[in-house]
């Protein structure tokens, strides 16, 4: 494959794939958001009984590594299709969010004990 | 910002952001997968009581549009950080998955009644 | 089975089942919460491509009905085990929440267009 | 309140609460399953950055304890409403599942290294 491996190209392939199978009626934003969350949970399922240490070693087993990569692909696929139906540019959305977070959470004022989760609840 | 808006650059900014705040101990693959699923559910929450038709119009309201873009950014941020900790290339994973699906689900043999969800459970 | 079919009895059977298999080390509150969310997503997966009307008819197909009941059982099982590890009485928690909601959302002041989701974010 | 604190009574109160506010049109099985998964994720969110040890101590902080109980109430509320719309008895579903698991996973043949997650994927 000589195509450049970029998001826009993959998004286009996903849209063609769905259109060729007449799936657009199923692909409402509501359904694609649900499908995205289901795939994210399938990723969680791989890790749910692992210790933190075990979770850092999942790629050492080829079968588990393939399963993790497969779920990553599914999450990204539904995220791109969701963004496609609503005209959202996911890279621009993320760049804007990082810009906002860098202003809101300057390093100098950061305490070591803060939890990372606070950033995402803007 | 003159930086190219690509995934690798955003992934690098996220890694620097987390490193500057000493969050790496929290950022196990297990925790990042959970955080990804939590953000995906926050996207679902926006749509959970909407009809399919209402869900297609969410970007018409500026406040809701911002909320949707913000959750998209959070999902993508955790997906990139998850991939970063495990050395996964999300674009390569998705390209490989689309290749497999195109072989497994040729258009000619496809029935209109098939559900799209079957593709993701490889 | 002549045992009364109540929550406490089922919770006790689940605890004995896990203890007999030495699963307690895996059953941290964090892991059980993740497992609960994974099972809830498996319930969502059954409905993700259905229209609202189709979703109301899932019990008409015996295979789908069994799958739905099985996921309901899994969600309830992990909820009871989660509550067991933390000493939470789920019935008392729900009764207290309904009491609060009845005070906070009197029927007289309710507009028909309100969305139900607002109640759960107290 | 002298009413017995049982599931059927709480399910009845939830149904009356929703009916008084005309929410039934929103309460399709599809939407209630999504709402259940969103609440389960809000429970996960409380634990997502905690170590296993920290997660076992969440009830020691009154604010966090209240938040955990509140999410437990939300999960149970949507589970009961979901079951109500489809005519499912959640206690009977769980009892039947435990019966099946006790037959399928006898203790004598159990290895210490087995993971609990395998049970729920019947």
């Amino acid at each position: 494959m000589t195509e450049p491996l970029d998001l826009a190209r993959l998004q286009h392939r996903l849209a063609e794939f769905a259109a060729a199978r007449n799936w657009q009626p199923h692909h409402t934003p509501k359904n694609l958001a649900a499908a995205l969350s289901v795939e994210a949970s399938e990723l969680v399922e791989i890790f749910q009984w692992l210790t933190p240490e075990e979770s850092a070693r999942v790629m050492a087993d080829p079968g588990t590594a393939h399963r993790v990569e497969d779920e990553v692909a599914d999450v990204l696929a539904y995220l791109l299709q969701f963004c496609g139906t609503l005209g959202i540019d996911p890279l621009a959305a993320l760049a804007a969010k990082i810009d906002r977070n860098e202003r809101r959470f300057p390093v100098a004022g950061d305490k070591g004990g803060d939890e990372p989760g606070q950033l995402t609840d803007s």
Side-chain angles (χ1 to χ4, degrees), chain A residues 7-116:
Chain A
L7 269 193
R9 169 69 189 149
L10 292 169
Q11 195 169 28
H12 184 69
R13 287 183 69 191
L14 289 166
E16 286 189 328
F17 191 92
R21 286 153 187 80
N22 297 315
W23 287 347
Q24 298 101 325
H26 294 290
H27 281 194
T28 62
K30 179 184 175 108
N31 287 358
L32 289 167
L36 170 64
S37 80
V38 167
E39 297 304 325
S41 284
E42 293 184 2
L43 198 59
V44 171
E45 191 180 14
I46 299 172
F47 295 92
Q48 67 186 349
W49 306 118
L50 303 185
T51 64
E53 296 71 29
E54 289 168 339
S55 90
R57 294 193 300 265
V58 289
M59 303 306 280
D61 175 68
T64 309
H66 178 78
R67 199 173 152 210
V68 170
E69 289 168 337
D70 203 59
E71 298 301 346
V72 162
D74 287 339
V75 169
L76 184 55
Y78 282 123
L79 183 65
L80 292 180
Q81 291 177 93
F82 175 85
C83 288
T85 64
L86 292 179
I88 293 170
D89 179 339
L91 298 181
L94 178 52
K97 176 100 188 200
I98 297 174
D99 289 344
R100 282 199 303 279
N101 278 343
E102 286 176 342
R103 284 194 303 271
R104 291 170 60 211
F105 302 94
V107 172
D110 191 72
K111 308 298 182 303
D114 281 0
E115 288 189 356

